[in-house]
Amino acid sequence: MSSWGDAFNVDNSPNTGSSTIAPADVRLNNKPDYVSCEKVEPSISYQETNKPGTDKIQRRLAQNREAARKSRLRKKAYVQQLESSRLKLAQLEQELERARQQGIYKSCASAAGCFGLPATVNTEWFHVDLPGITAFEMEYTHWVEEQNRQICELRTALMAHVTDIELRILVESGLNHYCKLFRMKEDAAKADVFYLISGIWRTSAERFFHWIGGFRPSEILNVVVPQIEPLTDQQHLEVCNLRQSSQQAEDALSQGVDKLQQSLAEDVASDLCSGNYRPQMVAAMDKLEGLENFVSQADHLRQQTLQQMVRILTTGQAARGFLAMGEYFHRLRALSSLWAARPRESA
């Protein structure tokens, strides 16, 4: 794929307009005269400000403005409280899932003694609460919170019809936010690539669409494109090419992972009746280093797809695209929470 070009073309020319000329009831030397609107006095004249009821009206207007401001603040606080409750519910579901997974690992570690594995190997192979993974889980929780905040900002900005410059700032912020996630995952893969590629750090519904440590770029394009139409003919052509190239790269990476998996299975299954498995483990460990490279290449493909998407679209389309993408992942997390909290029939 080509490198990321200029993502935006912004017209920085200032908006200008002719000044409105309003007549002024001013007579000098018994001749009518006109002045520009910039010199016209405020709508309330000096005589009107001295009327007895004017102060009362101004106080009432000020009270109405203050009441409206407080109402907006209460509404904003209420929305933030709802978002916080949803985040806590999603975090609880993740913690329960991690506890369940860790219980499985501990059970496997206990059962490993039946195969004559030493205790040191049990601890190293089956304990996933590594320092790098713990740091990643904390950072990812904050990342999700920031993503939800950006979703609210994008929705508010689009409803308010802000300028392209303001939208471009939000789009760049959203793109940088995903790039930050890819850097976090790179560090986590170095700590435990199996943990990252398994998707334990994501919710259950997100894991249903999990692919080599994250989302499929072509899947995101399928989610975003219907939300940003209509596209120009040139945009439609470039988006189709981007989707096709993303799918081809996904197929190549998937085939590489399948071959690596097959090769690992052959190494581990080699000479099973022998009591000495060290040569097989050494060969398998050497090949596992390639798994980290596959995760890195998949994240690079995800990042390049997002950058190309921003380059192809206008600022407003890119803003709607990031809003749709963030809302999509938010709904998957909400679906996971609802699924975990569903009522179950008693036996």
Side-chain angles (χ1 to χ4, degrees), residues 11 33 81 83 115 156 262 267:
D11 185 6
D33 194 6
Q81 184 180 3
E83 292 294 335
F115 297 94
T156 302
Q262 181 180 358
D267 288 339

Side-chain angles (χ1 to χ4, degrees), residues 106-148:
K106 290 179 181 178
S107 298
C108 294
S110 300
C114 299
F115 297 94
L117 295 178
T120 54
V121 175
N122 294 347
T123 302
E124 182 180 356
W125 285 9
F126 296 102
H127 186 59
V128 297
D129 192 16
L130 301 175
I133 298 303
T134 302
F136 171 76
E137 290 179 346
M138 296 177 60
E139 291 177 352
Y140 181 69
T141 300
H142 295 315
W143 187 91
V144 172
E145 294 175 354
E146 177 64 19
Q147 186 189 42
N148 290 331

Side-chain angles (χ1 to χ4, degrees), residues 21-60:
I21 305 300
D25 190 11
V26 179
R27 298 181 180 275
L28 296 176
N29 299 325
N30 296 326
K31 294 182 179 181
D33 194 6
Y34 296 91
V35 295
S36 65
C37 63
E38 297 177 353
K39 297 181 179 181
V40 176
E41 294 296 330
S43 58
I44 301 177
S45 64
Y46 177 77
Q47 289 81 3
E48 290 175 343
T49 56
N50 291 332
K51 292 182 180 180
T54 301
D55 293 340
K56 183 177 180 180
I57 294 174
Q58 293 298 325
R59 285 195 302 269
R60 184 175 299 173

Side-chain angles (χ1 to χ4, degrees), residues 318-329:
R320 294 199 302 272
F322 274 103
L323 175 60
M325 186 165 54
E327 183 64 27
Y328 173 72
F329 290 122

